[in-house]
């Protein structure tokens, strides 16, 4: 069984790791823009804000399986295939990016407006306020948000197995469901649960450590 479980686990970790990085690269600037361009924001741009909100809301409305199918052409364009671990990273990243953007937006909005106003009064620029005030002040919430993102991506990667995405989800479906090998299904699900619990525990510890500092 290990010759099946280990490669599937590595595939899941591979997908989740790179999808987390790419979704953060997309979602972080989107979340920042949502906050600073809103009405009364430090870089108010109503039209840009409404456009970003619309795009994010549309992307979040799609169930992941449907979004993954719709993004098959993009996966083929980028990695040359629509199935497999590498191909799955594309829809995983795009599916998670709007979620990341909303998490970043929520975290940054928790920062006391008085701190931002004080920075403005001292002549701080928009980038300085973002990187030296908003992000440092909201770091505990950001860490928890990133933790939730990773957990969501683990779930997404399991669902991707239903349409050839690889990983533990694919293993559980191909062997546990179609070949009635219940033991493989149980082990796959158990590993996914352990991964989620482990990520949540690490995220909680990092958050507590930041709060203490």
């Amino acid at each position: 069984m290990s010759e099946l479980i280990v490669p599937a686990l590595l595939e899941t970790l591979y997908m989740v790791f790179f999808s987390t990085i790419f979704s953060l690269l997309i979602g972080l600037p989107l979340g920042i823009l949502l906050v600073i361009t809103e009405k009364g924001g430090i870089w108010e741009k109503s039209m840009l804000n409404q456009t970003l909100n619309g795009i994010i809301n549309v992307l979040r409305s799609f169930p992941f399986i449907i979004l993954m199918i719709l993004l098959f052409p993009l996966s083929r364009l980028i990695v040359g295939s629509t199935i497999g671990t590498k191909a799955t990273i594309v829809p995983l990243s795009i599916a998670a990016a709007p979620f990341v953007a909303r998490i970043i937006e929520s975290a940054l909005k928790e920062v006391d407006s008085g701190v931002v106003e004080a920075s403005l009064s001292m002549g701080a620029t928009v980038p300085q306020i973002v990187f030296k005030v908003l992000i440092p002040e909201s770091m505990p919430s950001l860490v928890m948000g990133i933790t939730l993102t990773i957990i969501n991506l683990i779930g997404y990667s399991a669902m991707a197995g239903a349409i050839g995405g690889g990983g533990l989800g694919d293993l559980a479906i191909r062997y546990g469901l179609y070949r009635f090998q219940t033991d493989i299904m149980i082990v796959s699900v158990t590993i996914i649960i352990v991964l989620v619990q482990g990520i949540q525990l690490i995220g909680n510890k990092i958050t507590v450590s930041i709060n203490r500092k």
Side-chain angles (χ1 to χ4, degrees):
M1 185 188 297
S2 61
E3 67 273 9
L4 295 174
I5 296 294
V6 173
L9 173 59
L10 293 177
E11 286 179 356
T12 294
L13 295 176
Y14 178 83
M15 284 189 289
V16 171
F17 177 77
F18 284 102
S19 298
T20 299
I21 291 175
F22 293 136
S23 62
L24 285 173
L25 289 175
I26 300 170
L28 179 60
L30 286 177
I32 292 172
L33 283 172
L34 284 173
V35 173
I36 66 176
T37 61
E38 67 180 356
K39 186 176 181 179
I42 58 176
W43 192 55
E44 187 175 334
K45 301 286 182 181
S46 298
M47 185 62 69
L48 176 59
N49 187 268
Q50 291 173 12
T51 302
L52 290 176
N53 269 302
I55 293 172
I56 289 171
N57 289 338
V58 168
L59 289 175
R60 290 191 68 190
S61 300
F62 281 93
F64 173 67
I65 294 295
I66 296 175
L67 182 62
M68 185 172 178
I69 294 171
L70 290 175
L71 291 173
F72 273 171
L74 183 60
S75 296
R76 184 181 291 109
L77 178 66
I78 294 175
V79 300
S81 175
T82 60
I83 60 173
T85 306
K86 289 183 179 180
T88 304
I89 292 174
V90 176
L92 279 175
S93 302
I94 294 175
F99 179 76
V100 172
R102 289 302 184 193
I103 284 178
I104 300 298
E105 178 189 22
S106 177
L108 296 183
K109 283 185 175 181
E110 292 179 7
V111 177
D112 188 352
S113 60
V115 178
V116 177
E117 291 173 2
S119 300
L120 285 171
S121 66
M122 290 187 289
T125 63
V126 172
Q128 287 174 332
I129 292 174
V130 169
F131 294 106
K132 293 185 179 181
V133 178
L134 291 177
I135 291 179
E137 289 291 326
S138 61
M139 191 57 69
S141 296
L142 290 176
V143 170
M144 289 306 298
I146 293 171
T147 301
L148 288 175
T149 300
I150 296 173
I151 290 172
N152 272 354
L153 282 169
I154 292 173
Y156 284 163
S157 70
M159 285 189 287
I163 48 179
L168 291 168
D170 178 55
L171 182 68
I173 292 170
R174 281 194 296 120
Y175 288 88
L177 179 63
Y178 296 149
R179 301 185 186 183
F180 304 102
Q181 293 181 246
T182 308
D183 55 340
I184 292 181
M185 173 76 80
I186 292 173
V187 172
S188 298
V189 172
T190 301
I191 292 175
I192 291 173
I193 292 172
V194 170
L195 283 176
V196 169
Q197 294 293 336
I199 293 297
Q200 187 66 68
L201 181 63
I202 292 171
N204 290 344
K205 286 188 175 182
I206 294 174
T207 302
V208 170
S209 176
I210 293 173
N211 280 327
R212 284 176 180 172
K213 293 178 180 179

